[in-house]
Amino acid sequence: MIANIAAKPASTPSFRVGDERLIKLTADAAKKVSSLLNRQGRPNGVLRVAVVGGGCSGLQYKMDLQDGPASRDILVETGGIRVVVDPKSALYDTGSELDYIDALQDGGFKVTNPNAATSCSCGESFSA
């Protein structure tokens, strides 16, 4: 007699779905993130936007490309890109817009955050 052994389902991370009220990408930012994801061979990957301690104003952004959301993340689809934010960072990111400026000077990703009370002169960090 052969016993049927049911395979355990793969554990999938439990995440919540949010909307663009949390974070929104401009068309330029979405295009750049899509290009970076494809270059890394992750066309279905996500952009992680986190707020971490550091910088001259106390808080700074950390962005990373990953395969998918982790447990407890908040997933937002914006501009055709999947963005994930952890719950702690969401407290600081709510209402933010991520843009990409393709320029030799002062180019790169820029975050407009309505929660930032002050930002440093270099524009790399903020306080809330």
Side-chain angles (χ1 to χ4, degrees):
M1 178 183 264
I2 299 175
N4 285 337
I5 300 174
K8 287 185 179 179
S11 65
T12 57
S14 59
F15 57 88
R16 295 181 295 167
V17 176
D19 59 35
E20 289 183 330
R21 290 177 293 180
L22 175 57
I23 191 164
K24 181 179 181 179
L25 270 62
T26 64
D28 289 336
K31 182 178 173 184
K32 183 63 175 181
V33 172
S34 177
S35 168
L36 293 169
L37 285 167
N38 284 321
R39 188 179 308 159
Q40 283 192 0
R42 298 177 174 178
N44 297 316
V46 298
L47 170 67
R48 175 170 299 283
V49 178
V51 174
V52 297
C56 42
S57 290
L59 298 169
Q60 62 187 7
Y61 297 101
K62 179 181 174 192
M63 294 182 224
D64 191 21
L65 301 175
Q66 298 179 344
D67 292 327
S71 290
R72 301 188 62 230
D73 278 344
I74 302 167
L75 173 71
V76 175
E77 289 222 22
T78 173
I81 300 298
R82 298 182 328 145
V83 179
V84 292
V85 178
D86 65 86
K88 184 178 176 186
S89 295
L91 297 172
Y92 299 102
D93 283 340
T94 299
S96 294
E97 181 178 73
L98 179 63
D99 192 14
Y100 180 77
I101 299 167
D102 190 9
L104 189 57
Q105 288 187 324
D106 296 326
F109 288 102
K110 304 291 180 194
V111 179
T112 303
N113 185 338
N115 305 304
T118 60
S119 62
C120 63
S121 60
C122 68
E124 297 296 321
S125 66
F126 68 100
S127 67

